[in-house]
Amino acid sequence: MLMAGAAIANPEPMQLNMTTGVTDVAGKVYDLHMLIFLICVAIGVVVFGAMVIAMIRFRKSKGAVAATWSHNTTAEVIWTVVPILILVGMAIPATKVLFEIDDVSGSEMTVKVTGYQWMWRYEILNYKDQPTSVQFVSRLDRESDRIRQLNSGEAPSLDGHPNYLLDVDKPLILPTDTKIRFVITADDVIHAWWVPSLGWKQDAIPGVINEAWTRINTPGTYRGQCAELCGKDHGFMPIVVKAVSRAEFETYLAGEMAARDDAARTAQTSVTVPAKG
């Protein structure tokens, strides 16, 4: 692989290159990006190098005289065939990565993501072939929401608020080393669910179910945002994914399901039955 050095999980200030991410897909997308970038650099060196040499060696002040021919079959074949071969060479690895991104088979868990103006609803539909009932809404955290108001009197800074507009009140907790299938849709307008560290972005379209998958290799907190202009509060619907070990996730999942069952029982027993008479 072309990746070198420590992986950059979340984008950093003044970062020029793509994040290398924390998934196999993100790593392959990064490697593909670097491969095509190097090919483009090589093409640029050859083309601009030829231009510079031509301008210096064959300039009028040195007595150069323009040729009188207008066509050269050999040159035309070369500058047609060579770019085609380069494009085919670039398309082969790109197609392999696209097919891998699209392959959700063998998933151990399914998460449904629904975009709303301007929040996300998450539903953990199943885990290890067992249905679950965990669902919640994730919104911009209260501190960021308070600061963003025009009358808050605060000017956010990276030092004082490093995750300003990138924190939520309830993150999506996912297990590491698990193939997770996402089904993504929306309830009102088009949104886009995007966490750069996972290596892909998927549109959330009303009436349409899109799919994607991930396998997070490294525990940590990874941030993203809606990447489709979806209305006046588009900039205020961040995404936070917290990746934990499988054992920690299973403890979290069991606790959430138990709490939901307790809440359902409490609601059921609080219903008053009219007395007969």
Side-chain angles (χ1 to χ4, degrees):
M1 295 173 69
L2 297 174
M3 293 167 54
I8 302 172
N10 290 303
E12 299 289 340
M14 303 302 293
Q15 179 180 330
L16 298 179
N17 204 354
M18 291 175 60
T19 175
T20 52
V22 291
T23 68
D24 293 339
V25 166
K28 291 179 180 180
V29 169
Y30 178 84
D31 290 343
L32 178 64
H33 157 73
M34 292 305 299
L35 173 64
I36 294 178
F37 171 72
L38 292 176
I39 291 173
C40 292
V41 169
I43 293 172
V45 169
V46 171
V47 172
F48 287 103
M51 289 173 60
V52 170
I53 291 172
M55 288 187 292
I56 293 175
R57 292 186 57 185
F58 304 107
R59 62 187 186 271
K60 184 178 180 180
S61 61
K62 292 189 68 173
V65 178
T68 57
W69 55 269
S70 60
H71 295 283
N72 184 298
T73 303
T74 301
E76 291 177 359
V77 169
I78 291 173
W79 70 50
T80 300
V81 172
V82 170
I84 291 175
L85 295 177
I86 293 173
L87 289 173
V88 170
M90 294 165 64
I92 292 173
T95 303
K96 288 181 178 178
V97 173
L98 287 174
F99 273 108
E100 184 167 347
I101 291 174
D102 198 49
D103 182 15
V104 299
S105 62
S107 300
E108 302 173 72
M109 176 179 174
T110 302
V111 177
K112 181 180 178 183
V113 180
T114 306
Y116 298 89
Q117 291 177 311
W118 288 268
M119 66 196 80
W120 300 98
R121 176 178 290 279
Y122 298 108
E123 300 173 58
I124 301 177
L125 301 181
N126 60 63
Y127 177 67
K128 291 184 176 179
D129 296 326
Q130 297 297 317
T132 68
S133 57
V134 176
Q135 59 175 296
F136 57 91
V137 171
S138 181
R139 297 179 175 87
L140 179 69
D141 74 302
R142 291 187 176 182
E143 182 65 8
S144 291
D145 193 46
R146 181 186 65 81
I147 294 172
R148 79 179 180 91
Q149 304 301 323
L150 291 176
N151 59 355
S152 69
E154 292 194 42
S157 65
L158 285 176
D159 292 333
H161 308 91
N163 296 316
Y164 175 61
L165 298 183
L166 290 175
D167 263 334
V168 296
D169 57 357
K170 193 171 179 63
L172 174 62
I173 298 177
L174 297 175
T176 57
D177 302 317
T178 304
K179 186 168 184 178
I180 304 166
R181 172 178 172 249
F182 290 86
V183 289
I184 301 173
T185 188
D187 192 59
D188 38 41
V189 300
I190 299 177
H191 303 274
W193 201 83
W194 179 46
V195 178
S197 299
L198 303 187
W200 50 264
K201 174 176 65 176
Q202 188 61 267
D203 283 344
I205 304 172
V208 176
I209 299 294
N210 286 323
E211 288 186 314
W213 70 274
T214 193
R215 180 186 284 111
I216 303 173
N217 300 324
T218 308
T221 299
Y222 309 112
R223 305 178 190 278
Q225 296 169 292
C226 176
E228 185 70 48
L229 187 59
C230 59
K232 70 179 185 66
D233 282 351
H234 159 70
F236 309 119
M237 52 182 303
I239 301 161
V240 178
V241 172
K242 183 179 179 183
V244 299
S245 67
R246 290 175 70 114
E248 188 175 347
F249 173 78
E250 289 169 5
T251 301
Y252 156 79
L253 188 63
E256 288 291 308
M257 292 181 67
R260 183 170 293 275
D261 291 343
D262 289 343
R265 282 193 295 269
T266 301
Q268 195 171 28
T269 56
S270 65
V271 175
T272 58
V273 179
K276 296 180 180 180

